[in-house]
Amino acid sequence: MIKIDGNYTDFRDDTDEKYPYGKAVAASTPNSTDGTPWRVMFFNDLHGARQAIFKKAFNGTERTPSNQPDNIENSDLLDALLKIISDAFSSRIFSVEISGTDAVIPWNDLNIEYDAEKTYAAIVTPAGNYEEFLPFGTECKSDGLHIYPRRLINGKIVSGTRHKKWGTRKWGIGKWNDYDSMKVNLQFAEVES
């Protein structure tokens, strides 16, 4: 982005609060030179980049450009950038349920085509009141993402999720001291080499 200031042209507007870095002004007639000069390559470079960003954000939706100039209060470009950022994060953040000492989340559940030649990063955090849990271990294997929960109990590291409490299920269902399930937040991404 360039500033439309005295280094660019004498024909500009420095007083509009919506354009704190300068505003172009129109020439008084089509043939006069008393307006902000726009060179074709400069204009196409700016407008082409903005169109590419807008298309990336809203392609396949009903959203079209507002047909109003962007300003500090309303900006199609800012909306597009925020959508791209939001899409990038929301497509790689999951809420999953795990239990036991080694929970496996299949790649299909994460909409990921696993490739053993690639490098991945996974961050798993408890979703709720689980203050005794240490950082979760993770491992990528062909059958899915393995999550290894660990807790710190009385100074000792204990593998697995919490055990089911007495009276939380009907008599005769399940085994004594089974692991309880818990929700976790999972951030997953391929790491560029």
Side-chain angles (χ1 to χ4, degrees):
M1 177 176 82
I2 68 164
K3 292 182 181 178
I4 300 175
D5 60 11
N7 293 322
Y8 184 76
T9 181
D10 289 334
F11 302 106
R12 66 186 188 281
D13 181 355
D14 297 326
T15 62
D16 192 329
E17 293 178 1
K18 293 182 180 179
Y19 297 90
Y21 305 111
K23 178 180 176 182
V25 295
S28 56
T29 67
N31 295 325
S32 66
T33 58
D34 61 349
T36 306
W38 290 102
R39 294 165 183 93
V40 170
M41 286 180 63
F42 171 74
F43 182 81
N44 287 340
D45 181 55
L46 283 179
H47 201 53
R50 295 167 57 89
Q51 289 180 52
I53 292 168
F54 194 88
K55 180 180 178 184
K56 174 74 174 171
F58 300 112
N59 195 24
T61 70
E62 294 182 14
R63 172 78 189 259
T64 60
S66 65
N67 207 25
Q68 298 296 317
D70 281 16
N71 60 55
I72 202 165
E73 294 172 0
N74 296 301
S75 170
D76 289 334
L77 180 61
L78 179 59
D79 290 349
L81 290 172
L82 292 173
K83 176 135 182 5
I84 290 169
I85 292 167
S86 174
D87 289 350
F89 278 97
S90 65
S91 65
R92 294 292 178 215
I93 297 177
F94 307 91
S95 177
V96 296
E97 198 164 297
I98 65 169
S99 68
T101 58
D102 177 6
V104 181
I105 310 299
W107 295 119
N108 286 344
D109 291 359
L110 301 174
N111 295 321
I112 293 170
E113 290 186 33
Y114 176 70
D115 182 348
E117 300 297 317
K118 293 183 179 179
T119 304
Y120 300 96
I123 300 171
V124 181
T125 56
N129 185 16
Y130 299 101
E131 62 278 342
E132 79 273 20
F133 279 88
L134 298 169
F136 291 79
T138 60
E139 186 177 12
C140 295
K141 295 184 178 180
S142 61
D143 61 340
L145 177 67
H146 289 247
I147 301 173
Y148 307 106
R150 299 174 302 159
R151 298 177 292 149
L152 186 61
I153 307 295
N154 298 324
K156 294 183 180 181
I157 297 176
V158 177
S159 296
T161 58
R162 292 175 179 167
H163 293 280
K164 289 186 181 282
K165 293 182 180 176
W166 178 259
T168 58
R169 62 178 173 214
K170 295 181 180 178
W171 179 259
I173 297 176
K175 297 177 183 175
W176 168 252
N177 214 22
D178 272 349
Y179 288 103
D180 205 356
S181 63
M182 66 182 289
K183 284 206 174 272
V184 295
N185 300 316
L186 166 63
Q187 292 176 279
F188 187 87
E190 181 182 338
V191 178
E192 298 290 328
S193 298

